[in-house]
Amino acid sequence: MRRRLFLVGAAVATALASTLSTTTAQAGTRPVEPPGTALVLPAPSGHHPVGRTVVHLKDESRADPWVPSEQRELMVSLWYPAVRPSDTPAPYMTAEESRQYAAATGLNLPADLFAGVRTHSTVDAKPAKARGGLPLVVLSPGFGMPRATLTGLAEEFAARGYAVAGIGHNYEADGISFPDGRTTSCVACVNRDYPKVGAVRAEDISFVLDELTGARSAWKHGAPVDTGRVAVVGHSAGGFSTIPAMLRDPRVKAAVNMDGNFRFPNDTPLDRPFLMLGQPSHVPGGTDPTWDETWTELTGWKRWLSVDDIGHLSFTDLAPLAKQFGMPLQRLDGDRADAITRTYVTAFVDTHLRGRDPRLLDGPTAGFPEVRFHRPLGVPSP
């Protein structure tokens, strides 16, 4: 569980095998039996109904870095607070995304497993309005992982009154479906050039911000977005990509790295709020020196937290879903791991986009004994 895992197939297979070697050995090459009922994400705690729509974006000014013969295209899922639910539940993944993603695990999972996951959002529900626009959270998934794997966190933010944009970085995930029927695979996974991934994702994030906040927004019927309140939250490769995104784009006011090794040149001081949230190996003086190095370059408000008894994938929907499937990813209960992620990430974003001051980020608390603060005072906010 302490390996540096980025590619989803290797990550899922290694994590599950390390915690359930007996189960997988008994299964052998037989398909893993699906649970008796559909998998379901934990419900968000906010009071807003959650709407979701999907937009297809094409950057006509940029060639795709992984397939240069094509222009850069992205699929973006938008979650938002709604006036009321629509009649159509939002799917978790398309059938082909589910097939590719399940196959990438190498665990003989049912091809339709992830297509059947139940979410807590509905398609194209009427957006709720907010004076001055909605604060925006941009989500960037792990390398090789579909954007859907951060749906639970997205729904949590949307139910609390945020607009959320989950980016499907083309050719960097095992399964991204497009409106014309294509479903692309992870071309970039063949040659893992992580600094390039960080640079590409920084460009993707800026492009998405342009498309969602300009006068001709790609979100045709959405609520206005407050360009002065934008945060980026990423897992794994999406987490380390937050640094180049912030350095590139001053619209990003705060960012969270969930367990990503900082595989990007980190020699430029950054004076905006940053949260480093990791598994037990991501501690000062731990096996990944990039966290120590990056910490010294963060000159603004900052926190460094680790969570006991979890793994690399525990910050995604896989923590609660794998529990339901009978193949838990970590020692800590999957629902508890999910609750910790949602609680601390939303507290951080609330602090820096809404000016709230939750005591949760001041230091350790009895309510969350699994969460450890490292140099918790950091650098005080100005």
Side-chain angles (χ1 to χ4, degrees), residues 99-130:
R99 186 195 68 77
Q100 285 200 28
Y101 185 57
T105 68
L107 291 175
N108 281 330
L109 297 177
D112 62 352
L113 177 66
F114 297 103
V117 173
R118 289 166 47 198
T119 69
H120 297 277
S121 45
T122 58
V123 175
D124 294 336
K126 182 180 179 180
K129 303 296 183 181

Side-chain angles (χ1 to χ4, degrees), residues 183-238:
T183 299
T184 57
S185 60
C186 190
V187 173
C189 290
V190 177
N191 179 18
R192 300 179 226 173
D193 184 342
Y194 292 123
K196 181 177 177 179
V197 169
V200 169
R201 292 197 177 196
E203 288 189 82
D204 287 350
I205 289 167
S206 287
F207 174 62
V208 168
L209 291 179
D210 290 342
E211 292 294 295
L212 295 183
T213 63
R216 299 177 61 185
S217 172
W219 190 9
K220 300 299 183 186
H221 304 291
V225 170
D226 184 350
T227 56
R229 294 189 292 168
V230 177
V232 178
V233 178
H235 168 248
S236 194

Side-chain angles (χ1 to χ4, degrees), residues 277-290:
L277 178 64
Q279 62 178 307
S281 61
H282 274 137
V283 294
T287 58
D288 178 12
T290 67

Side-chain angles (χ1 to χ4, degrees), residues 44 46 48 50 79-81 137 139 151-164 231 233 256 341-342 345-350 353-354:
H48 292 282
V50 178
W79 293 267
Y80 53 90
V137 177
L139 298 180
T151 295
L153 183 59
E155 292 182 337
E156 182 68 34
F157 271 115
R160 292 169 177 243
Y162 288 86
V164 183
V233 178
V256 181
T341 298
R342 295 188 189 204
V345 173
T346 57
F348 169 81
V349 175
D350 276 347
L353 295 195
R354 286 179 159 165

